[in-house]
């Protein structure tokens, strides 16, 4: 680790400690969330059929709804079941000339989706069969892989249960 990285890491650790003391509450002292869960996360795709083939056929997330976008006529709004009553949605916006996104403030860095261990292995095999490169498991983490969808959205598949990361409970 370089001196710059070590310095950044030390400063970041000090800030996390400060935020932890200021904002974290024990599970017993934490109020219940006002939310019920993620209804859907809406992303933008360039090609509806390509998106269906990727998410349903490759990843195994069933397409559950396909309708016209209520805000932009001629646009499609589609929904995939990602388990636990959560949906991953996409819009296409034909005619708008949208360009590929870049990682920036306010953008999505990645979407982490928990899958069953047996699904994790079969999805990895399908990615390999289709020549789709992925990162991981690496850095001592054996439960995650990262790859990009056809439009460059980074997906993390994690074979740990919901609210578990690196073998420890989140928020417990």
């Amino acid at each position: 680790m370089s001196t710059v990285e070590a310095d950044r890491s030390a400063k970041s650790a000090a800030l996390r400690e400060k935020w932890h003391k200021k904002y974290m509450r024990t599970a017993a002292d934490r109020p219940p969330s006002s939310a019920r869960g993620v209804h859907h996360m809406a992303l933008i795709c360039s090609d509806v059929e390509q998106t269906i083939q990727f998410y349903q056929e490759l990843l195994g997330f069933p397409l559950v709804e396909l309708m016209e976008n209520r805000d932009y006529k001629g646009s499609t709004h589609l929904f995939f079941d990602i388990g636990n009553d959560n949906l991953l949605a996409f819009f296409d916006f034909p005619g708008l000339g949208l360009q590929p996104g870049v990682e920036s403030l306010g953008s999505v860095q990645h979407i982490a989706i928990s899958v069953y261990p047996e699904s994790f292995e079969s999805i990895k095999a399908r990615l390999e069969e289709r020549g789709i490169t992925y990162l991981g498991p690496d850095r001592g983490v054996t439960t995650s892989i990262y790859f990009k969808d056809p439009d460059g959205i980074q997906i993390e598949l994690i074979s740990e249960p919901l609210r578990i990361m690196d073998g420890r409970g989140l928020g417990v």
Side-chain angles (χ1 to χ4, degrees):
M1 182 182 321
S2 72
T3 305
V4 171
E5 290 173 321
D7 185 49
R8 184 176 58 232
S9 182
K11 286 179 182 177
S12 180
L15 282 171
R16 281 192 305 276
E17 180 62 27
K18 174 185 162 190
W19 296 326
H20 191 277
K21 287 178 182 174
K22 184 174 181 179
Y23 296 111
M24 288 296 296
R25 299 178 188 163
T26 65
D29 293 331
R30 196 177 309 136
S33 177
S34 61
R36 291 191 281 192
V38 174
H39 187 282
H40 69 277
M41 178 181 294
L43 305 169
I44 300 171
C45 68
S46 62
D47 183 304
V48 170
E49 188 168 12
Q50 173 180 261
T51 300
I52 293 169
Q53 290 171 353
F54 187 84
Y55 285 92
Q56 179 170 267
E57 306 304 319
L58 177 65
L59 299 184
F61 305 157
L63 179 68
V64 298
E65 190 62 64
L66 189 63
M67 65 175 92
E68 185 172 50
N69 176 357
R70 62 183 174 215
D71 300 322
Y72 184 77
K73 297 301 178 197
S75 169
T76 300
H77 196 183
L78 55 153
F79 297 83
F80 297 95
D81 179 353
I82 57 170
N84 206 41
D85 291 329
N86 294 294
L87 300 171
L88 182 60
F90 288 87
F91 292 106
D92 69 338
F93 288 113
L96 291 185
L98 299 178
Q99 299 299 309
V102 296
E103 193 170 29
S104 63
L105 295 177
S107 68
V108 173
Q109 202 281 329
H110 74 273
I111 300 168
I113 300 172
S114 175
V115 297
Y116 294 100
E118 57 276 9
S119 296
F120 184 75
E121 293 304 323
S122 64
I123 292 168
K124 278 178 26 182
R126 288 195 301 273
L127 290 168
E128 291 167 6
E129 286 169 9
R130 295 183 187 181
I132 298 171
T133 59
Y134 58 86
L135 298 174
D138 62 358
R139 296 169 290 150
V141 177
T142 60
T143 58
S144 290
I145 59 171
Y146 296 83
F147 53 92
K148 296 199 179 209
D149 86 347
D151 289 305
I153 298 167
Q154 185 162 246
I155 305 294
E156 174 188 8
L157 292 186
I158 183 167
S159 63
E160 292 183 285
L162 296 171
R163 296 197 69 145
I164 303 291
M165 188 166 175
D166 299 334
R168 71 175 189 90
L170 299 174
V172 293

